[in-house]
């Protein structure tokens, strides 16, 4: 795949962990090849622990709010507050990340999120927690995420270099989704057994692992990326850079639609567990666990695939939206639960493919700003979508809310797929291949040549 303008063409410092060239690395890569790099291995192991705590807190937070208020709208507001800072300040976070050294910045943000988790644990365990406390904690985590997310996204390329970027991004997602298997299950046991406060406590303590990993890294083995100097107009420069490149702007627009309308699972799944199937916290944990199984499978498939093609992104987004519509009308608990697996596979495929395609097509000096825009659109749309979806779910039921989110995601994917095909000079080709129908996009010149020779 073409890495686009401004790809990481500068050679990295020679170390025993560094891949000799991107091309050779991509040919010889395996599903876990980036774990051979010591710095990334430390990062990965720290994230295993921290991500488990993060998922425990997400489940406990949503269930605590639902228990305190009995309202899906309140769950949506909590989700919105956690992602609102990304919508408001995400681009400025990207500008800061391009100026700052990534590792010290991550040490600060990870410490801030640890303190927030411990504070929420103290309030809950002491019996003084109120819903506004949860709102405030969610907003505080969101503020830290403004810098933490683009810093982590950009730091991956500094740890592994361009040749292992696709593999490392996919393994990061596999890591996150593996924790999603363990975290909700443990959170469900803790919530029903001893209460939500212990899940918050575990999350706060879990940040010790990534902080230790960052401190143990060898700075000399990082792939040096020149930081952007402080100057005026850097935010505007980043926006113009993205707007001038179709290979960046349209994947970002697509994940914006899907993030805003298709990824409101805390609202939908808690409502399905509590109102539609009347199955309680155990079912909510089960839904998240099964979706995590699918997401983990999708991440590992992406790591094995080794390339990030836009046609895979579009196809996965269409399938993701269609499956949400099907799940919305599932008549029974077991069928709805099973559909969480393919939804997880295609949702994760959308995320990883878009993330990698955007990173690989971005100049390293612009990567913080571009990834901040990517995360702002993907996560920052939630403050707009989550309360609206929560209101629709409360007013018309979980099935209507879920179906509407899937339908919007599917229509957006089809529309952007047609736009990208036109921008790329492609046309729809319908024909037969070895006795089977085949529908695909081909270059206009090739289509015209086939018509002449037919």
């Amino acid at each position: 795949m073409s890495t686009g303008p401004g790809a990481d063409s500068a050679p990295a410092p020679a170390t025993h962990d560094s891949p000799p060239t991107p091309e050779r690395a991509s040919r010889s890569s395996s599903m876990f090849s980036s774990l051979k790099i010591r710095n990334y291995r430390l990062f990965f192991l720290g994230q295993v622990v921290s991500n488990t705590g993060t998922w425990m807190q997400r489940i406990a937070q949503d269930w605590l709010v639902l228990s305190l208020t009995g309202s899906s709208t309140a769950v949506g507001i909590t989700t919105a507050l956690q992602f609102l800072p990304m919508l408001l300040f995400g681009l400025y976070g990207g500008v800061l990340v391009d100026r700052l050294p990534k590792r010290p910045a991550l040490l600060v943000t990870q410490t801030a999120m640890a303190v927030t988790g411990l504070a929420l644990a103290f309030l809950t365990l002491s019996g003084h927690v109120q819903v506004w406390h949860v709102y405030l904690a969610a907003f505080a985590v969101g503020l830290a995420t403004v810098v933490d997310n683009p810093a982590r996204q950009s730091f991956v390329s500094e740890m592994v270099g361009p040749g292992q970027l696709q593999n490392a991004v996919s393994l990061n997602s596999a890591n996150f989704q593996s924790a999603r298997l363990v975290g909700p299950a443990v959170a469900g046991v803790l919530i029903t057994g001893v209460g939500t406060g212990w899940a918050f406590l575990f999350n706060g303590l879990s940040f010790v692992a990534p902080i230790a990993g960052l401190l143990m890294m060898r700075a000399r083995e990082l792939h040096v990326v020149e930081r952007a100097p402080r100057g005026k107009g850097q935010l505007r420069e980043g926006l113009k850079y993205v707007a001038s490149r179709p290979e960046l702007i349209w994947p970002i627009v697509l994940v914006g639609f899907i993030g805003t309308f298709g990824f409101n699972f805390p609202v939908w799944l808690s409502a399905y567990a509590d109102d539609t199937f009347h199955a309680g916290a155990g079912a909510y944990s089960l839904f998240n666990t099964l979706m995590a199984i699918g997401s983990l499978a999708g991440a590992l498939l992406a790591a094995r695939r080794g390339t990030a093609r836009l046609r895979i992104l579009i196809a996965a987004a269409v399938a993701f939206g269609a499956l949400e519509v099907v799940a919305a009308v599932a008549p029974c608990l077991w069928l709805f639960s099973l559909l969480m697996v393919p939804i997880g596979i295609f949702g994760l495929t959308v995320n990883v493919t878009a993330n990698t395609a955007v990173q690989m097509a971005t100049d390293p000096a612009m990567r913080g700003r571009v990834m901040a825009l990517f995360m702002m659109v993907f996560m920052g749309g939630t403050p707009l979508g989550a309360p609206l979806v929560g209101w629709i779910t409360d007013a018309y039921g979980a099935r209507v809310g879920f179906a509407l989110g899937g339908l919007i995601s599917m229509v957006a994917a089809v529309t952007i797929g047609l736009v990208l095909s036109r921008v790329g000079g492609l046309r729809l080709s319908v024909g037969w291949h070895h006795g089977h129908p085949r529908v695909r996009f081909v270059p206009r010149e090739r289509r015209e040549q086939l018509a002449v020779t037919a």
Side-chain angles (χ1 to χ4, degrees):
M1 188 188 96
S2 172
T3 55
D8 289 340
S9 55
T15 71
H16 65 282
D17 283 330
S18 299
T21 64
E23 292 78 16
R24 204 169 104 197
S26 63
R27 284 196 300 267
S28 60
S29 64
S30 66
M31 187 177 289
F32 304 102
S33 56
S34 55
L35 288 176
K36 297 175 184 177
I37 301 170
R38 180 182 182 274
N39 284 341
Y40 179 71
R41 192 162 58 245
L42 289 169
F43 177 85
F44 184 90
L45 293 174
Q47 291 298 309
V48 168
V49 179
S50 178
N51 286 336
T52 301
T54 296
W55 275 110
M56 290 177 66
Q57 174 147 328
R58 284 191 180 187
I59 300 299
Q61 174 181 281
D62 296 338
W63 199 256
L64 176 61
V65 171
L66 193 64
S67 300
L68 290 172
T69 65
S71 169
S72 293
T73 302
V75 177
I77 290 172
T78 308
T79 305
L81 286 170
Q82 186 159 331
F83 296 117
L84 182 62
M86 182 65 71
L87 178 64
L88 297 178
F89 312 117
L91 291 176
Y92 296 99
V95 172
L96 281 175
V97 166
D98 279 338
R99 294 176 184 170
L100 297 173
K102 308 299 185 295
R103 190 159 60 131
L106 286 171
L107 285 169
V108 172
T109 58
Q110 296 282 294
T111 301
M113 287 190 280
V115 171
T116 302
L118 293 174
L120 194 55
F122 171 77
L123 288 169
T124 307
L125 291 172
S126 65
H128 295 98
V129 70
Q130 298 178 37
V131 69
W132 72 266
H133 293 143
V134 186
Y135 288 165
L136 183 62
F139 187 77
V141 170
L143 284 175
T145 303
V146 167
V147 174
D148 186 81
N149 253 323
R152 276 191 295 109
Q153 300 286 341
S154 303
F155 192 50
V156 170
S157 65
E158 294 188 21
M159 287 184 286
V160 304
Q164 295 287 353
L165 182 60
Q166 161 82 8
N167 183 262
V169 170
S170 300
L171 288 182
N172 279 351
S173 296
N175 184 329
F176 190 67
Q177 302 306 328
S178 298
R180 192 176 179 181
L181 289 172
V182 179
V186 176
V189 172
L190 289 177
I191 291 170
T192 56
V194 293
T196 56
W198 294 99
F200 299 139
L201 179 62
F202 182 92
N203 179 55
L205 296 176
S206 72
F207 285 97
V208 172
I211 290 171
L214 288 166
L215 292 172
M216 292 169 63
M217 287 182 183
R218 297 170 183 164
R220 67 181 182 276
E221 294 180 6
L222 295 173
H223 293 247
V224 179
V225 173
E226 184 178 352
R227 297 199 300 271
R230 186 181 182 88
K232 293 183 178 180
Q234 290 180 318
L235 178 58
R236 186 168 57 252
E237 179 188 12
L239 292 174
K240 288 175 64 177
Y241 178 84
V242 172
S244 65
R245 288 163 171 78
E247 72 274 17
L248 296 179
I249 187 64
W250 289 112
I252 290 175
V253 170
L254 176 58
V255 298
F257 273 99
I258 291 179
T260 301
F261 298 104
F263 268 80
N264 290 287
F265 294 110
V267 176
W268 292 323
L269 299 188
S270 60
Y272 267 89
D274 195 42
D275 299 328
T276 304
F277 297 122
H278 308 288
Y284 183 47
S285 178
L286 173 65
F287 296 156
N288 281 278
T289 300
L290 289 172
M291 187 177 294
I293 292 173
S295 299
L296 176 59
L300 293 176
L301 288 171
R304 188 181 182 116
R305 192 160 51 240
T307 57
R309 299 182 183 277
L310 292 180
R311 66 170 178 261
I312 294 175
L313 171 63
I314 298 300
V318 172
F320 172 77
L323 283 166
E324 285 195 337
V325 174
V326 172
V329 297
C332 54
L333 175 65
W334 69 265
L335 181 57
F336 181 85
S337 300
L338 288 178
L339 285 168
M340 293 301 103
V341 177
I343 287 174
I345 290 175
F346 288 108
L348 198 283
T349 301
V350 170
N351 193 2
V352 169
T353 306
N355 186 312
T356 309
V358 168
Q359 287 209 53
M360 292 297 290
T362 302
D363 188 293
M366 302 290 294
R367 191 167 282 146
R369 278 164 283 182
V370 173
M371 293 313 297
L373 178 62
F374 179 92
M375 298 307 298
M376 184 196 78
V377 170
F378 183 57
M379 300 171 61
T382 304
L384 303 176
L388 175 62
V389 167
W391 175 79
I392 292 172
T393 300
D394 279 338
Y396 301 101
R399 295 190 186 278
V400 173
F402 203 10
L404 184 62
L407 183 62
I408 292 174
S409 300
M410 185 168 55
V411 171
V414 171
T415 302
I416 291 171
L418 293 173
V419 170
L420 282 171
S421 68
R422 187 170 185 82
V423 169
L426 302 177
R427 293 192 181 207
L428 186 66
S429 171
V430 181
W432 290 85
H433 182 71
H434 297 304
H436 299 284
R438 180 166 67 173
V439 179
R440 57 179 179 158
F441 288 104
V442 298
R444 282 198 181 100
E445 294 79 6
R446 183 179 173 187
R447 177 73 176 271
E448 291 165 359
Q449 184 180 9
L450 290 173
V452 170
T453 58

